[in-house]
Amino acid sequence: MSECIFCQIQAGTLPASVVYEDDLALVILDLFPIREAHCLVIPRQHESLLEGLDAAVTHRLMDLARRTIVAQKRAGLAVKAHNVVVNDGREANQHVPHVHVHVIPRRGGDTLATAMTWATRLMNVFGMAKRRKRLDRLAGLLSEHFPEKL
């Protein structure tokens, strides 16, 4: 779909900081992260809602979420826990109508900061070039630690 930001990223017409990709899905860093190393696991198949995906793709997304968690820990990030979230539909706060899984690292004691960032994260559009460089460096680090299979 030409209007879908995730489809455009997959087509190479929009940039992304890619951590991992295969024939069914890709893992990228969120451009407006809730916490450092906030990743999105995105199926290559365009579906707006989770119910539209077949079981194999759904299983791959969760496996990639699990492997993303392993990579974040192996990379030496200060991670104690994770939120793994699917906002399934507009009324569930899904901003991009293409299924995606958020993998958000948590440090502990960061609930207030996380809530504030969640509420204001799409407002900060300044400094994109600097943000992109930082995200690309982090994507490289996570890629180095991304497990092929566990």
Side-chain angles (χ1 to χ4, degrees):
M1 295 194 67
S2 62
E3 307 94 43
C4 173
I5 190 170
F6 294 153
C7 291
Q8 290 176 34
I9 286 169
Q10 291 180 61
T13 57
L14 283 178
S17 299
V18 178
V19 173
Y20 174 86
E21 59 184 317
D22 63 27
D23 58 331
L24 291 180
L26 69 155
V27 179
I28 65 172
L29 284 162
D30 194 303
L31 187 56
F32 298 98
I34 300 300
R35 307 301 315 144
E36 181 184 36
H38 173 175
C39 290
L40 303 175
V41 181
I42 305 165
R44 292 199 181 275
Q45 174 187 346
H46 180 89
E47 287 293 339
S48 297
L49 300 173
L50 196 56
E51 66 197 47
L53 295 176
D54 65 34
V57 175
T58 304
H59 291 170
R60 178 66 61 89
L61 295 180
M62 289 312 294
D63 181 58
L64 289 175
R66 179 183 60 83
R67 290 162 61 189
T68 299
I69 289 168
V70 171
Q72 290 169 338
K73 289 180 177 180
R74 285 182 180 174
L77 302 178
V79 177
K80 292 185 177 180
H82 287 81
N83 290 115
V84 178
V85 179
V86 176
N87 297 323
D88 198 39
R90 188 174 65 105
E91 290 77 7
N93 203 33
Q94 182 184 24
H95 294 284
V96 178
H98 183 128
V99 173
H100 56 287
V101 179
H102 293 263
V103 181
I104 306 167
R106 301 296 300 274
R107 295 184 184 142
D110 63 352
T111 301
L112 182 58
T114 300
M116 289 299 294
T117 303
W118 189 271
T120 61
R121 73 189 194 117
L122 298 177
M123 297 169 85
N124 184 4
V125 296
F126 301 104
M128 279 299 180
K130 185 176 180 181
R131 179 183 310 203
R132 175 65 60 205
K133 285 182 183 180
R134 188 177 74 248
L135 291 174
D136 286 347
R137 282 192 305 272
L138 184 55
L141 175 66
L142 292 173
S143 291
E144 289 175 22
H145 296 282
F146 202 89
E148 283 303 313
K149 297 202 189 244
L150 295 177

